[in-house]
Amino acid sequence: MTPALSCYSTALVEYLGGAAAGRLAAAAHLWVRTDDPDGALAFSHHDRIDDGALVHDHRPDWPSARAALAALLAEEGRVIVSGNAFHLLWSPHHGVRTVPHWFLLRGRDARGWHVADPFHALMPGGEQLPYAGVLGDDALRRALTPVGRLDPAVRNRDVHALGEPVEPGPTDAYRWLRRAIPSPAPSAFPASPASPAGPSAGSSARWPGVWLRAPGEVFAYLRDRLTGDADLLERHLDDLWAASRHQLHRLGPRPDPELADAWTQLPKALRFAADSARRGRPRTGVVERTLDTLAGLTTGREASRARG
């Protein structure tokens, strides 16, 4: 059964197969960048679980993209592609919202391209159910329509979709992922160290900007930023929803009930606060209580584990 994750990590786990779901559970965390030049936040939800094997690729036009995808699919047997939810018939965002959405190509024959999207979620716009089907060339072209310029919060999601900063390529191109060809040339965003330098490691050449990693610092920072900026809260609802899903996956099938409930309530409470602010009735206390509860629970359990 596919775990309940974000569209990015759902596709990643499905692509990697085997023990990838277990590796993701062990790798899950919640880190936040505090100094993005565009004013948005950036989040990392997990360490890389692909051993650094995947990189983004792209082509500027459909004929060259189609040829490259056909060759890659013939070579590897499956490909993660970056679709456009506005054009995905199975997405609640279809015809409503332009946002990147990962799914998989699993094969190609005379009927067309075999696609699979195991992502399942109940979202404000409706429920997305897992999808498997066959798309012709023109249907796949529409599904992969370049998303164009993205809000910085959404762009940051794309950049950190693999867990660490990885340049995702131009958003006015057709995009997908492939296994890296070994090269001595450094990437635009070099890989993170296996163990970050301390709970709030700050900036480094490997992770551009200043990052908070300790749960207490992360939740305190989010409380202060999100209670004072309703627009910022609205823009990052999807990020905190994804955090909830990754953390519940980390807790496993027999979680601490109190901690699991706190993570479950997080996106609901933030959505309520954002809706209230939109109606001119801010509920900042809801945000404060929810994040303070998580801070208390997570830091308390970290201390317990440290004591052994």
Side-chain angles (χ1 to χ4, degrees), residues 129-165:
L129 297 171
Y131 174 82
V134 180
L135 301 180
D137 279 356
D138 195 52
L140 183 62
R141 177 189 60 77
R142 287 195 301 273
L144 302 185
T145 299
V147 291
R149 187 177 184 277
L150 296 171
D151 179 270
V154 180
R155 168 75 176 176
N156 285 342
R157 263 171 241 151
D158 245 20
V159 168
H160 299 88
L162 289 169
E164 67 182 28

mmCIF file of all heavy atoms in Angstrom, residues 129-165:
data_model
loop_
_atom_site.group_PDB
_atom_site.id
_atom_site.type_symbol
_atom_site.label_atom_id
_atom_site.label_comp_id
_atom_site.label_asym_id
_atom_site.label_seq_id
_atom_site.Cartn_x
_atom_site.Cartn_y
_atom_site.Cartn_z
ATOM 1 N N LEU A 129 -7.737 10.548 -6.210
ATOM 2 C CA LEU A 129 -7.598 9.105 -6.081
ATOM 3 C C LEU A 129 -6.407 8.637 -6.913
ATOM 4 O O LEU A 129 -6.037 9.269 -7.899
ATOM 5 C CB LEU A 129 -8.870 8.407 -6.559
ATOM 6 C CG LEU A 129 -10.140 8.712 -5.755
ATOM 7 C CD1 LEU A 129 -11.369 8.134 -6.452
ATOM 8 C CD2 LEU A 129 -10.016 8.162 -4.335
ATOM 9 N N PRO A 130 -5.772 7.527 -6.539
ATOM 10 C CA PRO A 130 -4.710 6.978 -7.375
ATOM 11 C C PRO A 130 -5.214 6.741 -8.795
ATOM 12 O O PRO A 130 -6.369 6.357 -9.003
ATOM 13 C CB PRO A 130 -4.365 5.657 -6.678
ATOM 14 C CG PRO A 130 -4.767 5.863 -5.253
ATOM 15 C CD PRO A 130 -5.991 6.730 -5.306
ATOM 16 N N TYR A 131 -4.334 6.975 -9.745
ATOM 17 C CA TYR A 131 -4.723 6.876 -11.152
ATOM 18 C C TYR A 131 -3.718 6.019 -11.908
ATOM 19 O O TYR A 131 -2.503 6.095 -11.679
ATOM 20 C CB TYR A 131 -4.766 8.265 -11.786
ATOM 21 C CG TYR A 131 -5.029 8.250 -13.273
ATOM 22 C CD1 TYR A 131 -6.318 8.127 -13.776
ATOM 23 C CD2 TYR A 131 -3.968 8.337 -14.184
ATOM 24 C CE1 TYR A 131 -6.558 8.097 -15.145
ATOM 25 C CE2 TYR A 131 -4.203 8.314 -15.549
ATOM 26 C CZ TYR A 131 -5.498 8.190 -16.029
ATOM 27 O OH TYR A 131 -5.724 8.151 -17.374
ATOM 28 N N ALA A 132 -4.220 5.206 -12.812
ATOM 29 C CA ALA A 132 -3.380 4.469 -13.752
ATOM 30 C C ALA A 132 -4.123 4.424 -15.075
ATOM 31 O O ALA A 132 -5.327 4.136 -15.107
ATOM 32 C CB ALA A 132 -3.082 3.056 -13.245
ATOM 33 N N GLY A 133 -3.428 4.735 -16.161
ATOM 34 C CA GLY A 133 -4.091 4.757 -17.454
ATOM 35 C C GLY A 133 -3.094 4.902 -18.581
ATOM 36 O O GLY A 133 -1.873 4.837 -18.377
ATOM 37 N N VAL A 134 -3.617 5.085 -19.773
ATOM 38 C CA VAL A 134 -2.800 5.238 -20.970
ATOM 39 C C VAL A 134 -3.135 6.577 -21.615
ATOM 40 O O VAL A 134 -4.310 6.898 -21.834
ATOM 41 C CB VAL A 134 -3.046 4.091 -21.974
ATOM 42 C CG1 VAL A 134 -2.179 4.278 -23.223
ATOM 43 C CG2 VAL A 134 -2.773 2.744 -21.330
ATOM 44 N N LEU A 135 -2.109 7.364 -21.899
ATOM 45 C CA LEU A 135 -2.276 8.661 -22.538
ATOM 46 C C LEU A 135 -1.618 8.657 -23.911
ATOM 47 O O LEU A 135 -0.498 8.159 -24.064
ATOM 48 C CB LEU A 135 -1.646 9.775 -21.690
ATOM 49 C CG LEU A 135 -2.163 9.974 -20.263
ATOM 50 C CD1 LEU A 135 -1.421 11.129 -19.598
ATOM 51 C CD2 LEU A 135 -3.651 10.212 -20.237
ATOM 52 N N GLY A 136 -2.307 9.205 -24.884
ATOM 53 C CA GLY A 136 -1.701 9.404 -26.193
ATOM 54 C C GLY A 136 -0.690 10.529 -26.146
ATOM 55 O O GLY A 136 -0.556 11.240 -25.141
ATOM 56 N N ASP A 137 0.011 10.723 -27.253
ATOM 57 C CA ASP A 137 1.045 11.761 -27.301
ATOM 58 C C ASP A 137 0.490 13.133 -26.940
ATOM 59 O O ASP A 137 1.093 13.879 -26.153
ATOM 60 C CB ASP A 137 1.664 11.819 -28.706
ATOM 61 C CG ASP A 137 2.712 10.741 -28.920
ATOM 62 O OD1 ASP A 137 3.022 10.005 -27.966
ATOM 63 O OD2 ASP A 137 3.220 10.646 -30.051
ATOM 64 N N ASP A 138 -0.653 13.486 -27.519
ATOM 65 C CA ASP A 138 -1.185 14.826 -27.287
ATOM 66 C C ASP A 138 -1.658 14.978 -25.844
ATOM 67 O O ASP A 138 -1.477 16.033 -25.231
ATOM 68 C CB ASP A 138 -2.332 15.117 -28.256
ATOM 69 C CG ASP A 138 -2.675 16.605 -28.298
ATOM 70 O OD1 ASP A 138 -1.748 17.418 -28.498
ATOM 71 O OD2 ASP A 138 -3.858 16.948 -28.103
ATOM 72 N N ALA A 139 -2.249 13.906 -25.277
ATOM 73 C CA ALA A 139 -2.703 13.963 -23.888
ATOM 74 C C ALA A 139 -1.520 14.085 -22.937
ATOM 75 O O ALA A 139 -1.575 14.825 -21.943
ATOM 76 C CB ALA A 139 -3.540 12.729 -23.559
ATOM 77 N N LEU A 140 -0.428 13.377 -23.225
ATOM 78 C CA LEU A 140 0.754 13.494 -22.370
ATOM 79 C C LEU A 140 1.366 14.881 -22.508
ATOM 80 O O LEU A 140 1.805 15.472 -21.519
ATOM 81 C CB LEU A 140 1.779 12.417 -22.713
ATOM 82 C CG LEU A 140 3.026 12.421 -21.821
ATOM 83 C CD1 LEU A 140 2.668 12.141 -20.372
ATOM 84 C CD2 LEU A 140 4.061 11.419 -22.319
ATOM 85 N N ARG A 141 1.400 15.391 -23.713
ATOM 86 C CA ARG A 141 1.915 16.754 -23.903
ATOM 87 C C ARG A 141 1.153 17.746 -23.038
ATOM 88 O O ARG A 141 1.755 18.596 -22.373
ATOM 89 C CB ARG A 141 1.816 17.155 -25.375
ATOM 90 C CG ARG A 141 2.263 18.595 -25.651
ATOM 91 C CD ARG A 141 1.948 19.024 -27.074
ATOM 92 N NE ARG A 141 0.516 18.963 -27.367
ATOM 93 C CZ ARG A 141 -0.376 19.874 -26.964
ATOM 94 N NH1 ARG A 141 0.016 20.921 -26.249
ATOM 95 N NH2 ARG A 141 -1.653 19.738 -27.280
ATOM 96 N N ARG A 142 -0.191 17.646 -23.035
ATOM 97 C CA ARG A 142 -0.995 18.548 -22.201
ATOM 98 C C ARG A 142 -0.703 18.327 -20.717
ATOM 99 O O ARG A 142 -0.600 19.286 -19.950
ATOM 100 C CB ARG A 142 -2.483 18.350 -22.481
ATOM 101 C CG ARG A 142 -2.945 18.919 -23.816
ATOM 102 C CD ARG A 142 -4.461 19.015 -23.877
ATOM 103 N NE ARG A 142 -5.097 17.719 -23.690
ATOM 104 C CZ ARG A 142 -5.341 16.845 -24.664
ATOM 105 N NH1 ARG A 142 -4.996 17.134 -25.912
ATOM 106 N NH2 ARG A 142 -5.930 15.696 -24.405
ATOM 107 N N ALA A 143 -0.589 17.072 -20.313
ATOM 108 C CA ALA A 143 -0.342 16.764 -18.896
ATOM 109 C C ALA A 143 0.984 17.341 -18.417
ATOM 110 O O ALA A 143 1.118 17.693 -17.239
ATOM 111 C CB ALA A 143 -0.366 15.252 -18.683
ATOM 112 N N LEU A 144 1.949 17.450 -19.331
ATOM 113 C CA LEU A 144 3.272 17.961 -18.976
ATOM 114 C C LEU A 144 3.465 19.426 -19.367
ATOM 115 O O LEU A 144 4.592 19.926 -19.348
ATOM 116 C CB LEU A 144 4.357 17.112 -19.646
ATOM 117 C CG LEU A 144 4.355 15.616 -19.324
ATOM 118 C CD1 LEU A 144 5.568 14.940 -19.966
ATOM 119 C CD2 LEU A 144 4.342 15.363 -17.831
ATOM 120 N N THR A 145 2.382 20.117 -19.680
ATOM 121 C CA THR A 145 2.471 21.534 -20.057
ATOM 122 C C THR A 145 3.333 22.308 -19.053
ATOM 123 O O THR A 145 3.090 22.241 -17.841
ATOM 124 C CB THR A 145 1.067 22.165 -20.091
ATOM 125 O OG1 THR A 145 0.265 21.494 -21.061
ATOM 126 C CG2 THR A 145 1.138 23.643 -20.437
ATOM 127 N N PRO A 146 4.349 23.022 -19.514
ATOM 128 C CA PRO A 146 5.186 23.791 -18.580
ATOM 129 C C PRO A 146 4.345 24.710 -17.693
ATOM 130 O O PRO A 146 3.392 25.346 -18.155
ATOM 131 C CB PRO A 146 6.111 24.584 -19.510
ATOM 132 C CG PRO A 146 6.216 23.724 -20.738
ATOM 133 C CD PRO A 146 4.862 23.106 -20.899
ATOM 134 N N VAL A 147 4.706 24.762 -16.423
ATOM 135 C CA VAL A 147 3.905 25.522 -15.455
ATOM 136 C C VAL A 147 4.186 27.018 -15.517
ATOM 137 O O VAL A 147 3.427 27.826 -14.975
ATOM 138 C CB VAL A 147 4.144 25.010 -14.013
ATOM 139 C CG1 VAL A 147 3.556 23.621 -13.843
ATOM 140 C CG2 VAL A 147 5.631 25.028 -13.656
ATOM 141 N N GLY A 148 5.291 27.421 -16.130
ATOM 142 C CA GLY A 148 5.602 28.848 -16.197
ATOM 143 C C GLY A 148 6.080 29.389 -14.865
ATOM 144 O O GLY A 148 6.485 28.644 -13.974
ATOM 145 N N ARG A 149 6.005 30.691 -14.721
ATOM 146 C CA ARG A 149 6.522 31.333 -13.512
ATOM 147 C C ARG A 149 5.716 30.907 -12.297
ATOM 148 O O ARG A 149 4.483 30.926 -12.306
ATOM 149 C CB ARG A 149 6.468 32.856 -13.659
ATOM 150 C CG ARG A 149 7.134 33.606 -12.520
ATOM 151 C CD ARG A 149 7.105 35.110 -12.759
ATOM 152 N NE ARG A 149 7.815 35.832 -11.722
ATOM 153 C CZ ARG A 149 7.273 36.157 -10.539
ATOM 154 N NH1 ARG A 149 6.004 35.839 -10.285
ATOM 155 N NH2 ARG A 149 7.989 36.818 -9.639
ATOM 156 N N LEU A 150 6.417 30.522 -11.233
ATOM 157 C CA LEU A 150 5.775 30.044 -10.013
ATOM 158 C C LEU A 150 5.962 31.035 -8.870
ATOM 159 O O LEU A 150 6.969 31.754 -8.802
ATOM 160 C CB LEU A 150 6.370 28.697 -9.588
ATOM 161 C CG LEU A 150 6.173 27.511 -10.531
ATOM 162 C CD1 LEU A 150 7.008 26.321 -10.062
ATOM 163 C CD2 LEU A 150 4.694 27.133 -10.615
ATOM 164 N N ASP A 151 5.009 31.051 -7.960
ATOM 165 C CA ASP A 151 5.191 31.776 -6.708
ATOM 166 C C ASP A 151 6.442 31.216 -6.014
ATOM 167 O O ASP A 151 6.702 30.007 -6.067
ATOM 168 C CB ASP A 151 3.963 31.562 -5.806
ATOM 169 C CG ASP A 151 4.099 32.275 -4.478
ATOM 170 O OD1 ASP A 151 4.625 31.653 -3.521
ATOM 171 O OD2 ASP A 151 3.681 33.437 -4.388
ATOM 172 N N PRO A 152 7.251 32.059 -5.382
ATOM 173 C CA PRO A 152 8.474 31.557 -4.741
ATOM 174 C C PRO A 152 8.241 30.407 -3.752
ATOM 175 O O PRO A 152 9.089 29.517 -3.642
ATOM 176 C CB PRO A 152 9.020 32.800 -4.023
ATOM 177 C CG PRO A 152 8.543 33.943 -4.865
ATOM 178 C CD PRO A 152 7.176 33.536 -5.341
ATOM 179 N N ALA A 153 7.114 30.407 -3.050
ATOM 180 C CA ALA A 153 6.836 29.304 -2.121
ATOM 181 C C ALA A 153 6.706 27.989 -2.873
ATOM 182 O O ALA A 153 7.195 26.941 -2.415
ATOM 183 C CB ALA A 153 5.560 29.601 -1.326
ATOM 184 N N VAL A 154 6.055 28.015 -4.032
ATOM 185 C CA VAL A 154 5.888 26.801 -4.839
ATOM 186 C C VAL A 154 7.218 26.424 -5.482
ATOM 187 O O VAL A 154 7.586 25.241 -5.540
ATOM 188 C CB VAL A 154 4.801 27.006 -5.903
ATOM 189 C CG1 VAL A 154 4.617 25.743 -6.738
ATOM 190 C CG2 VAL A 154 3.476 27.388 -5.247
ATOM 191 N N ARG A 155 7.946 27.406 -5.959
ATOM 192 C CA ARG A 155 9.267 27.156 -6.536
ATOM 193 C C ARG A 155 10.173 26.473 -5.513
ATOM 194 O O ARG A 155 10.903 25.533 -5.843
ATOM 195 C CB ARG A 155 9.869 28.476 -7.001
ATOM 196 C CG ARG A 155 11.342 28.436 -7.359
ATOM 197 C CD ARG A 155 11.615 27.772 -8.677
ATOM 198 N NE ARG A 155 13.028 27.834 -9.027
ATOM 199 C CZ ARG A 155 13.557 27.273 -10.092
ATOM 200 N NH1 ARG A 155 12.790 26.602 -10.926
ATOM 201 N NH2 ARG A 155 14.842 27.365 -10.338
ATOM 202 N N ASN A 156 10.128 26.925 -4.263
ATOM 203 C CA ASN A 156 10.955 26.308 -3.224
ATOM 204 C C ASN A 156 10.581 24.844 -3.003
ATOM 205 O O ASN A 156 11.436 24.014 -2.691
ATOM 206 C CB ASN A 156 10.826 27.091 -1.913
ATOM 207 C CG ASN A 156 11.595 28.391 -1.943
ATOM 208 O OD1 ASN A 156 12.480 28.587 -2.778
ATOM 209 N ND2 ASN A 156 11.258 29.311 -1.041
ATOM 210 N N ARG A 157 9.288 24.517 -3.136
ATOM 211 C CA ARG A 157 8.871 23.114 -3.030
ATOM 212 C C ARG A 157 9.542 22.268 -4.106
ATOM 213 O O ARG A 157 9.991 21.153 -3.851
ATOM 214 C CB ARG A 157 7.350 23.019 -3.181
ATOM 215 C CG ARG A 157 6.609 22.968 -1.873
ATOM 216 C CD ARG A 157 5.105 23.098 -2.084
ATOM 217 N NE ARG A 157 4.644 24.284 -1.391
ATOM 218 C CZ ARG A 157 3.611 25.025 -1.745
ATOM 219 N NH1 ARG A 157 2.901 24.704 -2.812
ATOM 220 N NH2 ARG A 157 3.285 26.073 -1.033
ATOM 221 N N ASP A 158 9.571 22.801 -5.319
ATOM 222 C CA ASP A 158 10.206 22.093 -6.429
ATOM 223 C C ASP A 158 11.707 21.898 -6.167
ATOM 224 O O ASP A 158 12.257 20.825 -6.397
ATOM 225 C CB ASP A 158 10.007 22.891 -7.716
ATOM 226 C CG ASP A 158 9.148 22.169 -8.738
ATOM 227 O OD1 ASP A 158 8.396 21.256 -8.357
ATOM 228 O OD2 ASP A 158 9.233 22.521 -9.925
ATOM 229 N N VAL A 159 12.354 22.959 -5.702
ATOM 230 C CA VAL A 159 13.796 22.914 -5.458
ATOM 231 C C VAL A 159 14.150 21.858 -4.409
ATOM 232 O O VAL A 159 15.167 21.163 -4.520
ATOM 233 C CB VAL A 159 14.306 24.302 -5.020
ATOM 234 C CG1 VAL A 159 15.731 24.222 -4.473
ATOM 235 C CG2 VAL A 159 14.254 25.281 -6.192
ATOM 236 N N HIS A 160 13.304 21.697 -3.378
ATOM 237 C CA HIS A 160 13.606 20.803 -2.267
ATOM 238 C C HIS A 160 12.827 19.495 -2.317
ATOM 239 O O HIS A 160 12.758 18.765 -1.319
ATOM 240 C CB HIS A 160 13.342 21.524 -0.937
ATOM 241 C CG HIS A 160 14.193 22.746 -0.751
ATOM 242 N ND1 HIS A 160 13.808 23.985 -1.220
ATOM 243 C CD2 HIS A 160 15.415 22.907 -0.201
ATOM 244 C CE1 HIS A 160 14.756 24.870 -0.939
ATOM 245 N NE2 HIS A 160 15.738 24.242 -0.338
ATOM 246 N N ALA A 161 12.267 19.158 -3.469
ATOM 247 C CA ALA A 161 11.407 17.975 -3.575
ATOM 248 C C ALA A 161 12.150 16.674 -3.288
ATOM 249 O O ALA A 161 11.553 15.706 -2.807
ATOM 250 C CB ALA A 161 10.770 17.916 -4.964
ATOM 251 N N LEU A 162 13.445 16.629 -3.566
ATOM 252 C CA LEU A 162 14.236 15.425 -3.302
ATOM 253 C C LEU A 162 14.778 15.402 -1.874
ATOM 254 O O LEU A 162 15.432 14.442 -1.479
ATOM 255 C CB LEU A 162 15.387 15.314 -4.297
ATOM 256 C CG LEU A 162 14.971 14.973 -5.740
ATOM 257 C CD1 LEU A 162 16.153 15.142 -6.687
ATOM 258 C CD2 LEU A 162 14.417 13.560 -5.829
ATOM 259 N N GLY A 163 14.503 16.453 -1.103
ATOM 260 C CA GLY A 163 14.926 16.501 0.291
ATOM 261 C C GLY A 163 15.986 17.548 0.563
ATOM 262 O O GLY A 163 16.119 18.038 1.680
ATOM 263 N N GLU A 164 16.759 17.881 -0.444
ATOM 264 C CA GLU A 164 17.794 18.896 -0.324
ATOM 265 C C GLU A 164 17.725 19.800 -1.551
ATOM 266 O O GLU A 164 17.037 19.459 -2.533
ATOM 267 C CB GLU A 164 19.177 18.256 -0.213
ATOM 268 C CG GLU A 164 19.613 17.544 -1.459
ATOM 269 C CD GLU A 164 20.984 16.873 -1.316
ATOM 270 O OE1 GLU A 164 21.345 16.508 -0.187
ATOM 271 O OE2 GLU A 164 21.667 16.711 -2.330
ATOM 272 N N PRO A 165 18.398 20.938 -1.550
ATOM 273 C CA PRO A 165 18.309 21.840 -2.705
ATOM 274 C C PRO A 165 18.905 21.221 -3.973
ATOM 275 O O PRO A 165 20.084 20.888 -4.022
ATOM 276 C CB PRO A 165 19.117 23.069 -2.261
ATOM 277 C CG PRO A 165 19.187 22.975 -0.770
ATOM 278 C CD PRO A 165 19.193 21.525 -0.448
#
